[in-house]
Amino acid sequence: MYAYDSLDETLVRERAVQFRDQVGRRVSGELSEDEFKPLRLRNGLYLQLHAYMLRVAIPYGLLSSDQLRALARIARRYDRDYGHFTTRQNIQFNWIKLADAPDILDELAEAGMHAIQTSGNCIRNTTTDQFAGVAADEIEDPRPWAEIIRQWSTLHPEFSFLPRKFKVAINGSPNDRAAIAVHDIGLSMLHGPTGETGFRVWVGGGLGRTPMIAEEIRGFLPANDLLSYLEAILRVYNIEGRRDNLYKSRIKILVSALGIERFRELVEAEWAEIRDSSLRLDEAEVSRIRAQFAPPAYEVVDSGLFAAKRIEDTAFARWAARNLFPHKQPGHAAVTVSLKPIGGVPGDMSADQMEALADLADEYSYGEIRVAHRQNLVLAHVPQSRLYDLWRALDSLGLATPNLLRVTDIVACPGLDFCGLATARSIPVAQRLSERLAEIDDRHDLRELTINISGCINSCAHHHVGHIGILGLEKSGKESYQVTLGGSSAEDAAIGKIVGRGFGADEIVAAIETIVVTWLELRQGDERFLDSLRRIGQEPFRAALYGTG
Amino acid sequence: MAQIVITGNRLHDGAVVWREPDGTWSHDIANAAIYPSEAQLADGLDAGRLEEAEGRIIGVYEVELDAGESRVAPVRLRERIRADGPTVSVG
Amino acid sequence: MQLIDYSNARPAVESDVWTHVDDDAPLPAGGPATVSLERWQASRDELAGRNQPLGVRLDSHERIDDIVADLPRFDLIALNFPNLNDGRHFSTARLLRERHGYGGRLRATGQVLRDQLDPMRRCGFDEFDIAPGKDAASALPAFDQISVTYQPAADARLTAAQLRRRLPESVDVAD
């Protein structure tokens, strides 16, 4: 993975010093809360219901084992011994004191980490496929480009006060595991007619109050023009984006209002002016960065052991069938480490688990860990012959639930239990659903069925793109859960459709169970829920839930 | 008049605090002053907002209590969670 | 109102010699004066005839399209930041400097706080009208807090990528 050189390191250290000074000026009263808030947000510090929450950046979801150990130390020293992984590949600590935040940033800087721009109206963490660099279906590894975007977007002086937050995602495979269709800018790697590297560029996707699928702005962007093109898009957005209404300030609103043709005209006109500037990527710098993502020195191993253990141990076989991803290197697998124990808090990990996993990463996966969008972790380079030992170790840590993309692999935001923006709780719903549906999944093999639960319209859990989405609102002082069906964040991206009136906190679990049970009656063969839904529509589910039709 | 208490978050650690009758701030809502008149509530809010301006407390506002409850408890779920902590086990 | 002048090698607190003329007020007999964009558009010829340093003030929603042809006329362009969140004129500043070659003074006015000074300077501002009630002198260190820059802007600073290219041996891999 990318190793900081002295320049990268200097920046994060200086940023930590700057923040310490800003906190000092807040505490002394020199800065009011209104003046301080944009500054602390740009270092990832939120004020939530019970305490401050710190969102630490994990650029494109990639961590070294030492960095995971640093996060564990922070969890122990400054929080309550755990952290929460997010849908944008970052980590959050829920119980932070403002007074400790400068020390935390110093410790993060020591580990080559930071919380820069994880909040605020600026360019956020650029995310990618958790299987980048190892996926068998990959055209090209997007991570070097994610690192190039990271550097360009960090403390960009022109784009630090945008109309609203800005999120970029990049994938390297025709199968989209980075949800690029619902990002402000989505980039997909491809090869041009003579094999040259380039990007297909989308703009204007997003979730929240007005979910929208992105539109293609350019079919082929040569790789070395990446930064100049991004700069052109951001400049048009910074100048033209609405600033009069918080709910209409994302770029998706601008693209929708202008129409993609007019938006493209503006961007391409700006781009023509800056394409030949120093933003054009230098081959030497691209090579330098690419070299840092070279694959590890994979060993050629005999995988006879893997086959034998699968026959011998049915629990192992089940986990292997569900939590492994096809690897481009023969005899290897990318392992999903589940942070979704049945009845657990989705995406949470204790400091003990973090430290143990760091050791396992060193032992089994060249010291590298990835954060997945569904709030799990990935060990990307595991030889098949070692999978059984790894599984045993993960199982003893409670990290081996065999449920990747299954109905108990629920994505949930912290919700009203923690978050100041929330309108309903999400975690207790996730926990109860997990327990209720685990048994149905065991009996019926539901296959891939994603449930995403957001505790408010800001949709941090991406409920719009869950196969089943749940949105927690407040109605007449009570929690009311709205259900959407048919969302997808993959290359067949779709926004889920609301199925009908909302359900109370005591009704929602039964409602989801009704949906699953109804589906099982109508399922053909072993098709996925999403495929059945596309075949039969929402009506059977509406009828079962509300007794209509 | 509904039973109202005054709340905010402490600057240095973000902790939930409730304004006591003597103007200090407590972690425990049971110690919160319940303002018996609109005038006294207004005075309490003014004093609280002064402290906000001085930077020790953030976001001072009023919270309505559930008159039906025997203990001191807010009406809104959000405020009950602020008073009692998360409804899920932590860590 | 306190003005920071960073048109020389180091920033300094200076007094403002400019008169900022309201739309309905007469221009001063002598001395440098700024007018609003609207007044410039309405009284262009009259103002062009005045043989004194001239400046124009743009509010955050105002564009440079109407002044681009006349840039050599201006000794000062003042761009307003009405609140902390309105970052439009960061782009305006860069366009003035990099696209249109504007060589006069470029001033940030309005809610200019210490923590925006460095990005403003990088975008091409060389004068900073610090927000009322804030001390300009104590804000000066803000320009020097971050020494590494990743992306090219209106200033002449070398980016990290440029440094790596030129002096690879001076940039070590972190321990």
Side-chain angles (χ1 to χ4, degrees):
Chain A
M1 57 183 278
Y2 184 75
Y4 273 19
D5 64 14
S6 59
L7 292 170
D8 303 306
E9 200 175 68
T10 298
L11 187 140
V12 294
R13 286 192 197 281
E14 288 177 338
R15 178 64 165 199
V17 169
Q18 182 189 59
F19 183 64
R20 186 179 289 279
D21 175 64
Q22 289 166 347
V23 172
R25 286 189 285 132
R26 173 72 185 104
V27 167
S28 75
E30 189 186 320
L31 284 172
S32 70
E33 186 61 20
D34 281 345
E35 290 163 352
F36 180 63
K37 187 173 173 183
L39 303 177
R40 67 166 159 79
L41 289 178
R42 281 163 180 76
N43 282 299
L45 197 63
Y46 283 85
L47 179 60
Q48 295 289 54
L49 288 187
H50 313 286
Y52 289 88
M53 180 272 279
L54 180 67
R55 182 181 293 149
V56 175
I58 301 177
Y60 42 92
L62 194 55
L63 274 173
S64 70
S65 52
D66 279 343
Q67 289 176 329
L68 186 54
R69 290 185 185 100
L71 294 174
R73 282 196 298 276
I74 286 166
R76 287 194 202 291
R77 200 168 294 161
Y78 301 105
D79 202 89
R80 298 193 185 181
D81 297 329
Y82 77 103
H84 171 77
F85 290 98
T86 76
T87 53
R88 298 210 77 247
Q89 302 183 302
N90 294 317
I91 186 171
Q92 294 180 176
F93 295 106
N94 288 325
W95 299 94
I96 299 298
K97 300 180 169 63
L98 175 65
D100 288 336
D103 287 343
I104 297 172
L105 290 199
D106 281 347
E107 282 192 34
L108 287 170
E110 284 287 313
M113 300 182 80
H114 58 79
I116 297 173
Q117 292 169 215
T118 55
S119 185
N121 292 339
C122 49
I123 304 170
R124 306 286 189 87
N125 188 23
T126 293
T127 52
T128 192
D129 173 9
Q130 56 268 12
F131 302 122
V134 302
D137 62 1
E138 188 165 85
I139 296 171
E140 203 175 306
D141 186 352
R143 294 174 303 161
W145 305 97
E147 173 58 28
I148 286 168
I149 297 171
R150 181 190 76 83
Q151 294 192 16
W152 163 82
S153 64
T154 299
L155 305 187
H156 195 304
E158 187 181 349
F159 304 133
S160 294
F161 295 89
L162 296 171
R164 200 73 174 90
K165 62 180 108 170
F166 204 92
K167 300 178 180 177
V168 181
I170 178 171
N171 76 15
S173 157
N175 297 306
D176 184 11
R177 290 178 290 273
I180 62 174
V182 288
H183 274 78
D184 298 287
I185 291 177
L187 298 160
S188 189
M189 302 205 65
L190 74 169
H191 290 147
T194 51
E196 72 276 27
T197 299
F199 307 95
R200 201 167 155 201
V201 188
W202 281 271
V203 288
L207 301 176
R209 219 161 289 260
T210 45
M212 291 182 189
I213 303 291
E215 301 207 55
E216 184 189 292
I217 184 173
R218 184 165 248 267
F220 188 81
L221 176 70
N224 291 350
D225 291 324
L226 176 63
L227 295 184
S228 59
Y229 203 77
L230 293 180
E231 185 124 327
I233 294 173
L234 265 299
R235 181 165 296 147
V236 170
Y237 174 53
N238 191 45
I239 293 174
E240 306 286 348
R242 284 179 69 166
R243 295 184 186 257
D244 60 312
N245 182 339
L246 194 63
Y247 305 132
K248 297 210 186 279
S249 341
R250 296 292 288 272
I251 196 173
K252 64 189 177 188
I253 306 294
L254 180 64
V255 172
S256 178
L258 291 176
I260 186 65
E261 285 79 23
R262 177 64 184 140
F263 185 77
R264 183 187 295 121
E265 257 175 46
L266 292 173
V267 169
E268 298 269 337
E270 179 58 34
W271 184 49
E273 301 273 2
I274 59 178
R275 185 176 183 177
D276 290 328
S277 69
S278 57
L279 282 169
R280 169 161 275 154
L281 284 163
D282 171 63
E283 281 304 334
E285 178 69 357
V286 172
S287 299
R288 184 189 80 88
I289 290 176
R290 252 207 189 112
Q292 304 207 39
F293 295 95
Y298 292 119
E299 289 161 9
V300 176
V301 283
D302 169 51
S303 49
L305 186 64
F306 178 49
K309 284 296 180 187
R310 272 183 298 168
I311 293 167
E312 200 183 292
D313 190 326
T314 51
F316 173 62
R318 167 185 282 204
W319 176 85
R322 293 169 176 194
N323 282 28
L324 303 183
F325 192 84
H327 203 284
K328 53 167 72 149
Q329 181 73 14
H332 286 71
V335 170
T336 290
V337 175
S338 173
L339 299 182
K340 314 293 181 68
I342 305 305
V345 178
D348 276 11
M349 193 176 205
S350 71
D352 284 345
Q353 287 174 320
M354 289 181 203
E355 279 158 1
L357 189 69
D359 290 343
L360 291 176
D362 285 337
E363 173 82 33
Y364 293 96
S365 197
Y366 302 92
E368 191 190 278
I369 303 108
R370 291 104 178 281
V371 183
H373 296 273
R374 290 197 74 76
Q375 305 170 310
N376 294 310
L377 298 179
V378 170
L379 294 179
H381 310 286
V382 185
Q384 283 175 347
S385 61
R386 309 206 63 205
L387 284 170
Y388 184 71
D389 288 343
L390 173 60
W391 171 72
R392 297 275 307 273
L394 290 173
D395 196 38
S396 71
L397 294 164
L399 298 173
T401 317
N403 61 359
L404 173 60
L405 292 172
R406 301 183 72 94
V407 77
T408 56
D409 185 19
I410 299 173
V411 168
C413 67
L416 189 57
D417 283 302
F418 293 96
C419 181
L421 300 172
T423 39
R425 287 170 298 164
S426 49
I427 296 173
V429 176
Q431 290 176 304
R432 286 184 290 136
L433 269 177
S434 172
E435 281 161 343
R436 187 81 152 257
L437 298 172
E439 203 243 333
I440 300 179
D441 193 19
D442 281 344
R443 263 192 287 124
H444 295 280
D445 188 7
L446 305 181
R447 290 186 61 207
E448 187 186 310
L449 205 187
T450 60
I451 298 181
N452 293 44
I453 309 174
S454 298
C456 81
I457 194 70
N458 289 300
S459 64
C460 297
H462 299 178
H463 66 277
H464 295 293
V465 292
H467 300 163
I468 297 177
I470 302 173
L471 169 61
L473 301 169
E474 184 184 2
K475 226 167 132 185
S476 314
K478 291 198 176 306
E479 291 166 308
S480 175
Y481 295 92
Q482 207 175 71
V483 176
T484 57
L485 300 180
S488 171
S489 65
E491 62 285 353
D492 59 348
I495 306 294
K497 293 193 179 51
I498 297 172
V499 73
R501 64 152 176 80
F503 299 92
D506 53 349
E507 299 171 315
I508 180 63
V509 172
I512 303 301
E513 190 175 6
T514 298
I515 290 170
V516 173
V517 164
T518 304
W519 165 52
L520 285 172
E521 287 160 12
L522 301 166
R523 184 188 197 185
Q524 282 179 1
D526 69 346
E527 67 182 356
R528 302 174 308 160
F529 171 78
L530 190 60
D531 299 318
S532 306
L533 180 68
R534 286 173 175 168
R535 183 169 53 77
I536 64 182
Q538 286 207 352
E539 202 38 55
F541 301 101
R542 232 176 252 136
L545 288 169
Y546 305 110
T548 56
Chain B
M1 178 178 156
Q3 296 194 312
I4 309 284
V5 297
I6 294 175
T7 188
N9 288 72
R10 209 161 46 181
L11 173 71
H12 81 90
D13 61 358
V16 177
V17 289
W18 309 89
R19 193 161 187 272
E20 295 199 57
D22 65 356
T24 59
W25 295 83
S26 171
H27 284 298
D28 190 346
I29 193 176
N31 299 332
I34 300 175
Y35 294 88
S37 75
E38 295 284 357
Q40 281 164 300
L41 173 60
D43 285 345
L45 283 170
D46 283 343
R49 288 190 181 124
L50 193 64
E51 285 193 74
E52 200 176 340
E54 286 166 3
R56 282 186 300 283
I57 307 289
I58 308 173
V60 172
Y61 62 99
E62 54 183 273
V63 168
E64 187 181 332
L65 296 179
D66 188 342
E69 288 257 6
S70 52
R71 63 177 194 131
V72 179
V75 170
R76 276 188 83 199
L77 176 58
R78 183 185 194 276
E79 298 307 326
R80 286 207 300 279
I81 291 173
R82 283 181 77 248
D84 297 338
T87 65
V88 297
S89 64
V90 164
Chain C
M1 177 271 289
Q2 301 203 303
L3 194 67
I4 293 177
D5 182 339
Y6 205 155
S7 58
N8 298 311
R10 294 302 299 154
V13 181
E14 303 283 352
S15 45
D16 188 9
V17 303
W18 290 77
T19 306
H20 306 288
V21 185
D22 285 339
D23 283 352
D24 46 10
L27 288 166
T34 69
V35 295
S36 70
L37 176 65
E38 208 177 304
R39 184 149 178 191
W40 164 256
Q41 288 165 324
S43 323
R44 204 178 158 283
D45 293 332
E46 175 206 335
L47 291 162
R50 182 174 181 271
N51 194 18
Q52 295 285 325
L54 178 66
V56 67
R57 307 188 302 266
L58 266 62
D59 208 348
S60 59
H61 63 282
E62 293 180 314
R63 308 297 178 96
I64 54 173
D65 308 317
D66 284 343
I67 61 170
V68 156
D70 297 314
L71 289 180
R73 282 285 309 137
F74 301 114
D75 296 286
L76 174 69
I77 298 177
L79 303 176
N80 190 43
F81 291 83
N83 61 66
L84 288 173
N85 295 310
D86 192 335
R88 281 178 278 195
H89 281 327
F90 288 97
S91 291
T92 311
R94 287 196 69 187
L95 290 171
L96 282 170
R97 289 299 195 202
E98 296 172 75
R99 186 71 39 86
H100 302 293
Y102 172 67
R105 297 292 191 94
L106 191 56
R107 180 185 294 191
T109 67
Q111 273 302 301
V112 177
L113 297 179
R114 174 174 160 162
D115 303 281
Q116 292 155 301
L117 293 178
D118 192 36
M120 282 175 171
R121 171 163 168 75
R122 294 204 54 218
C123 287
F125 289 97
D126 52 10
E127 290 186 6
F128 310 86
D129 190 354
I130 295 291
K134 301 293 181 185
D135 179 49
S138 62
L140 297 183
F143 291 109
D144 300 322
Q145 284 180 320
I146 309 283
S147 67
V148 174
T149 176
Y150 279 134
Q151 59 288 105
D155 59 3
R157 287 169 70 177
L158 291 176
T159 65
Q162 288 166 332
L163 283 170
R164 287 164 184 150
R165 222 185 0 256
R166 290 186 186 200
L167 302 161
E169 66 281 354
S170 74
V171 181
D172 307 317
V173 173
D175 288 329

